[in-house]
Structure formats: C-alpha cells, structure tokens
Amino acid sequence: MTKVNVLYFASLREALGRSGEALELPAGVATVAALRAHLAARGEAWQALGEGRNVRAALNQRMAGADAVLEAGDEVAFFPPVTGG
Amino acid sequence: MQASTEVSVQEADFDLGAELAQLSAGRADVGGIASFVGLVRDVNDGSGVHAMTLEHYPGMTERSLAEIVEQAKSRWALLGVRVIHRIGRLMPSERIVFVGVASRHRGDAFAACEFIMDYLKTQAPFWKREETPEGARWVDARETDDSAAARWERPAEQGADGTWDEVEQRR
C-alpha cells in the first residue's frame, strides 16, 4: 500500500474546498500525472485538475514534472502557476 | 570569503536601510550593492486593488528561495545576499519583497539581483489574491515572467534537473 499526502494551494484549494488529504494510491497510480488524472476523475470541482488546466506540481517540496514517480510517504502538492514577487 | 546568505518569509515589514547596511556591515571588500523592492500597486489589470493577500507553501517556499540564492552564488561572485518575502494581507504601497546582493563589482550584483527576482517569480510557491471593487480574485501568472526567467537558462544547464523541460511540456 502506498500512502501519500496531497496538498492543494491558492485557487485550487478554494475550488476543491480543502487544503489537503491523505490518500492511498490505487493500483496503477505511480506518477504525478497519474495521480492528477485519478483526482480529476472524481468529477465536478475536481476537473480543475483536468488535462489542459494550468496546474503545477511539487513532489516533496520541489517542483516536479508529470513523470515524477511517487513513493510511500511522499508529499505531493498541486497548485496554479506561482505569482509571488 | 564565504558569501553569507539569509532568506526570510515573514508577515512583518522590514527596514530597507538596515537590510542594505547589513549587506556590507563589518567588511571593506564590498564594492557595490544592488537591490530590488517589490510593492503592492493600487491598480492591476484595469481594476482598483484595495488589499492583497499572499499565500505560500510553508517549507517549500524557504527551500526554493534558498536554492535560487545558491544558484545565483554559483553563477556570480557574490559577497552577500538577502531575500525577504512577505506573506499575509498587504495594502497598496506596502513592501512585498526585497532582494539585496553585494559583490566586489556592480555587474555581478545587478545580474544576480535580476536573476533572483526572475526565478523567484516563476519558482517560489507564492500566490497573490487581490481584493477589488468587483470582488476578490487570484492573480494570474504572466507569460512575460516565464520568458524573463527563461533568458537566464544556459544551453549546458537546460534539462539538467529535468524540471524546466517537463514543466514546459505540460503546458
């Protein structure tokens, strides 16, 4: 069983109505892209994570690409492009 | 001498004069200090802005700022770097961000200061939410910020950590 901690920030956090969740990865969900697709498939507000939406990801607090591989205990974050400075 | 580095993410304002002075305090090898101060504007995208709230990703924010500073130190000869980014609710004309860079010669200080700001804008996990007469809205990222950061990429470094290429591909 692979359990990861998922975090949501900014407009994504608002759209989803939550700032995070502990999630057990279903079989076959092993990358950032697969996790994103799995979450988007929940439908309704979760389509904010869908393909074509401008969403960035971080794995263990570093910017991560779609192919980044997930491991048990990882912290995965999804958020819109950053706007600091 | 080892360049000193300090990164702060805080709600409180900061003392510009004190921060600038600190960059060369107790040393005589600093030939120049370049700095940037970002402020809250009262207008953005055609709407009045009466307040702004900065959200961030605690932990990753500090780490990404420290990494950006390390990259700057590996590219230019720097004698001191200071980055302060505020979070929480800010009013127009309040300071948001400070970057100060000390070096022997101005070229390194100017370039590193601009590099740090350009990377901070696209890599550090901060998000702005503006309060306008039409309601609150999240600020959209600007394409010009990505192109500003991309101009610092060197062919030998592109794709070195995979991050840039993969982020680009996902657009």
Side-chain angles (χ1 to χ4, degrees):
Chain A
M1 270 188 293
T2 308
K3 213 166 187 179
V4 298
N5 198 30
V6 189
L7 302 175
Y8 311 106
F9 288 96
S11 54
L12 206 51
R13 171 179 55 72
E14 272 190 356
L16 303 176
R18 67 178 76 184
S19 56
E21 61 187 299
L23 194 71
E24 209 166 278
L25 295 181
V29 176
T31 64
V32 165
L35 173 59
R36 181 176 161 181
H38 170 70
L39 292 168
R42 287 173 171 174
E44 310 260 329
W46 294 91
Q47 286 166 22
L49 282 162
E51 229 175 302
R53 299 298 188 94
N54 206 350
V55 174
R56 302 295 164 86
L59 179 56
N60 297 324
Q61 305 192 351
R62 286 176 198 278
M63 290 289 190
D67 298 334
V69 175
L70 305 178
E71 287 174 25
D74 277 348
E75 180 174 292
V76 187
F78 292 104
F79 43 78
V82 301
T83 55
Chain B
M1 188 183 283
Q2 186 71 30
S4 66
T5 296
E6 262 191 277
V7 166
S8 300
V9 178
Q10 61 189 48
E11 289 192 13
D13 193 13
F14 44 87
D15 183 330
L16 267 183
E19 295 299 340
L20 287 169
Q22 188 59 38
L23 282 163
S24 63
R27 58 195 304 170
D29 56 345
V30 171
I33 297 168
S35 66
F36 176 84
V37 181
L39 307 172
V40 180
R41 272 195 315 266
D42 65 357
V43 171
N44 190 31
D45 286 338
S47 279
V49 174
H50 53 80
M52 168 183 285
T53 300
L54 273 142
E55 178 173 330
H56 78 127
Y57 181 172
M60 180 173 169
T61 315
E62 293 82 355
R63 169 184 282 186
S64 67
L65 291 176
E67 285 180 357
I68 292 164
V69 169
E70 285 309 309
Q71 286 182 58
K73 283 160 63 177
S74 72
R75 288 180 72 155
W76 293 281
L78 308 182
L79 299 173
V81 181
R82 180 82 170 116
V83 177
I84 306 172
H85 203 300
R86 294 179 68 192
I87 50 173
R89 192 162 180 266
L90 302 174
M91 311 303 283
S93 83
E94 280 200 78
R95 289 182 274 263
I96 304 173
V97 62
F98 171 78
V99 175
V101 180
S103 62
R104 221 169 285 271
H105 304 288
R106 72 181 185 285
D108 286 340
F110 275 129
C113 186
E114 199 169 10
F115 168 89
I116 289 169
M117 271 311 300
D118 284 348
Y119 267 46
L120 182 157
K121 283 277 216 186
T122 57
Q123 299 286 290
F126 292 100
W127 299 274
K128 288 180 180 144
R129 191 171 195 271
E130 294 173 338
E131 294 168 37
T132 75
E134 296 83 41
R137 63 183 187 192
W138 291 95
V139 173
D140 282 329
R142 294 175 194 273
E143 293 287 332
T144 49
D145 288 336
D146 282 334
S147 49
R151 73 201 158 110
W152 296 102
E153 286 180 62
R154 295 180 295 195
E157 284 187 345
Q158 272 178 350
D161 60 0
T163 306
W164 277 97
D165 288 349
E166 288 169 37
V167 167
E168 287 300 313
Q169 281 164 17
R170 289 182 55 181
R171 286 246 173 85

